[in-house]
Amino acid sequence: MVSSPAAPRDSARLTRKVIWIILALVVAGCVAWYAVLTLGKSPDPASQSGGAEQLVRTDSHRLTSPAVEKAQLVEFLDFECPSCGSIHPVVEEFKAEFGDRITFVHRHFPLSAHPNSGQAALAAEAAGQQGQYQQMADRLFETQSQWAGNQASQAPLFRTFAEQLGLDLSRFDAAVADPRTEERILADVADGKALGVTGTPTFFLDGEKLTLTSKADFRQKLADAAK
């Protein structure tokens, strides 16, 4: 008996199956090859740490300028954060001790849980545009207990601080209202997130994220870096 030829529909179905099997094999081969290539590559340090350019930018607030820099201490901070306020005097003490060898750097990281942290950062940035970032930062931390946690905007109080510092208030007001000032702060936040910052204060010493257990431990790390 002569076998009947396959129906056209069955033949087409068989062809489609073969094509899909070939495509599946090709895709599987590509995935396997990509995995081999990926596993064979060494991790890019810049992609993991965010790179030095994300840790300190050209416009970052450098609080000390050593003639010969031995190390950099970068602090991501929130002016309304109680822990930042508590450690501020310690950092100031270490700045006086090691500032001739270590560059101390401030970067913004206002947290959404703190209602006036963003306004405080704007005030510090606006003061910085008149060369008084450090003075405004100090004033914000020194008075933190008076305004932190207040749900009402503390912008008028921060403007009073600007007046007390002798700033040009028209320039201060314009800087606070300028979208570029906020963008400058958000750029710090973006860098912080890329570096793994989730809370404040977060310190990096020569690119290494610090885990601090005590004031003595903090001082020893700085002393070692300053050698």
Side-chain angles (χ1 to χ4, degrees):
M1 175 180 289
V2 178
S3 299
S4 302
R9 183 177 297 178
D10 291 339
S11 179
R13 185 180 301 164
L14 179 61
T15 301
R16 286 197 298 272
K17 282 185 178 181
V18 171
I19 290 173
W20 280 113
I21 291 171
I22 292 172
L23 286 174
L25 290 173
V26 170
V27 170
C30 290
V31 171
W33 179 244
Y34 177 79
V36 169
L37 288 176
T38 303
L39 292 173
K41 288 183 179 179
S42 299
D44 182 1
S47 67
Q48 289 189 324
S49 65
E53 73 281 6
Q54 287 186 324
L55 193 55
V56 181
R57 298 280 185 179
T58 55
D59 60 353
S60 295
H61 296 292
R62 293 166 173 80
L63 310 183
T64 58
S65 302
V68 178
E69 182 186 86
K70 297 288 186 178
Q72 291 182 339
L73 179 72
V74 180
E75 177 184 4
F76 283 85
L77 57 82
D78 173 334
F79 290 112
E80 196 169 357
C81 164
S83 297
C84 293
S86 296
I87 205 168
H88 180 66
V90 174
V91 175
E92 287 298 294
E93 179 184 330
F94 292 155
K95 183 155 67 75
E97 183 176 358
F98 300 109
D100 60 337
R101 289 158 287 167
I102 296 177
T103 301
F104 285 68
V105 182
H106 271 187
R107 302 205 64 182
H108 298 291
F109 203 81
L111 302 171
S112 59
H114 300 146
N116 281 287
S117 59
Q119 281 294 331
L122 285 172
E125 277 301 306
Q129 292 183 24
Q130 297 188 48
Q132 295 206 47
Y133 169 84
Q134 176 71 78
Q135 291 84 344
M136 180 62 82
D138 289 343
R139 185 66 59 88
L140 290 167
F141 278 131
E142 289 163 2
T143 62
Q144 188 190 75
S145 61
Q146 301 174 24
W147 57 268
N150 197 320
Q151 295 300 313
S153 173
Q154 297 299 294
L157 176 63
F158 301 153
R159 190 176 189 274
T160 299
F161 295 163
E163 185 176 15
Q164 293 170 351
L165 291 172
L167 300 181
D168 181 326
L169 292 183
S170 61
R171 287 180 59 195
F172 178 84
D173 293 340
V176 168
D178 191 338
R180 290 174 295 183
T181 307
E182 183 179 13
E183 290 169 6
R184 163 73 181 75
I185 295 166
L186 293 176
D188 274 8
V189 173
D191 281 348
K193 289 180 177 179
L195 290 160
V197 176
T198 56
T200 56
T202 296
F203 293 93
F204 290 85
L205 182 58
D206 270 355
E208 179 183 352
K209 192 174 181 179
L210 294 183
T211 300
L212 302 174
T213 58
S214 66
K215 178 180 177 180
D217 173 52
F218 195 176
R219 185 190 179 282
Q220 188 60 55
K221 284 182 168 63
L222 294 178
D224 291 342
K227 291 180 180 177

